Amino acid sequence: MTDHTGRAGLEREGLHAVAHKFDKLHAEVSVPGTPRELPDLATASKHLATLTGLIKDLSDEVVFRVAEDDPGLDLGPVIYAYTSAASLAEQATENYTEAYVQLGFLRRYADAPETKELRDARHAAFLIIQERTETVRDDLATPPAD
């Protein structure tokens, strides 16, 4: 016989662990106020890797629960919480990827001769990074359903 109360506690702990991962990444990703506050590409790469890893971890959790063969367990709410969290992580990944591309652009043209067009393009890239990282933080601040 399965201990459903114990299982519910374990599922709750798992969802809290996911929320902790969201909170941790939310704290690590900052919105730059000036171009000097932009993350370097190594840091940005680590954040992007963490986001994509989070999606993989969440989808693995869903696969595990879908494969569960206990008709007495209703894992629907838990599965929904994980799929909702995966959606939020995907949105954050999409937004961070756009910021990442702009960081790559800034790196590519860091030593290029200054022109009005390049100055405008750099400023536009910075504004996109600001907007996207702010959206990433919003995505990560939304707690997974539980």
Side-chain angles (χ1 to χ4, degrees), residues 4 7 10 20 33 39 44 75 84 91 101 105 119 127 131 140:
H4 295 296
R7 178 65 185 260
L10 289 174
H20 176 72
L75 293 176
S84 295
Q91 290 171 28
V101 169
F105 168 81
R119 189 172 41 254
L127 293 176
E131 175 197 5
L140 294 172

Side-chain angles (χ1 to χ4, degrees), residues 7-21 58 61 65 78 82:
R7 178 65 185 260
L10 289 174
E11 294 297 346
R12 190 175 309 107
E13 287 176 22
L15 292 171
H16 286 293
V18 169
H20 176 72
K21 288 179 183 181
L58 291 165
E61 294 293 340
R65 280 152 188 86
V78 174
Y82 281 114

Side-chain angles (χ1 to χ4, degrees), residues 23 31 43 75 82 92-93 99 102 116 119 128 137 143:
D23 290 343
V31 179
T43 299
L75 293 176
Y82 281 114
T93 302
Q102 299 305 316
K116 180 185 179 330
R119 189 172 41 254
I128 291 168
R137 287 180 51 80

Side-chain angles (χ1 to χ4, degrees), residues 69-89:
D69 191 22
D70 186 344
L73 278 177
D74 177 15
L75 293 176
V78 174
I79 291 169
Y80 179 71
Y82 281 114
T83 58
S84 295
S87 176
L88 293 170

Side-chain angles (χ1 to χ4, degrees), residues 81-141:
Y82 281 114
T83 58
S84 295
S87 176
L88 293 170
E90 185 279 326
Q91 290 171 28
T93 302
E94 181 180 333
N95 285 303
Y96 203 86
T97 299
E98 183 55 36
Y100 188 73
V101 169
Q102 299 305 316
L103 286 168
F105 168 81
L106 292 173
R107 170 74 184 255
R108 165 72 174 89
Y109 292 101
D111 297 327
E114 189 71 28
T115 65
K116 180 185 179 330
E117 292 81 17
L118 184 55
R119 189 172 41 254
D120 290 347
R122 286 178 177 147
H123 182 68
F126 172 72
L127 293 176
I128 291 168
I129 293 166
Q130 269 189 321
E131 175 197 5
R132 293 303 176 118
T133 53
E134 187 172 349
T135 304
V136 167
R137 287 180 51 80
D138 290 346
D139 294 337
L140 294 172

Side-chain angles (χ1 to χ4, degrees), residues 23-91:
D23 290 343
K24 184 176 183 227
L25 193 53
H26 178 266
E28 290 176 10
V29 174
S30 61
V31 179
T34 68
R36 291 178 189 240
E37 296 173 358
L38 289 170
D40 60 59
L41 278 171
T43 299
S45 295
K46 290 175 186 173
H47 289 158
L48 193 57
T50 300
L51 281 166
T52 58
L54 185 56
I55 294 169
K56 182 199 176 303
D57 292 347
L58 291 165
S59 62
D60 286 349
E61 294 293 340
V62 171
V63 167
F64 173 75
R65 280 152 188 86
V66 168
E68 192 79 19
D69 191 22
D70 186 344
L73 278 177
D74 177 15
L75 293 176
V78 174
I79 291 169
Y80 179 71
Y82 281 114
T83 58
S84 295
S87 176
L88 293 170
E90 185 279 326
Q91 290 171 28

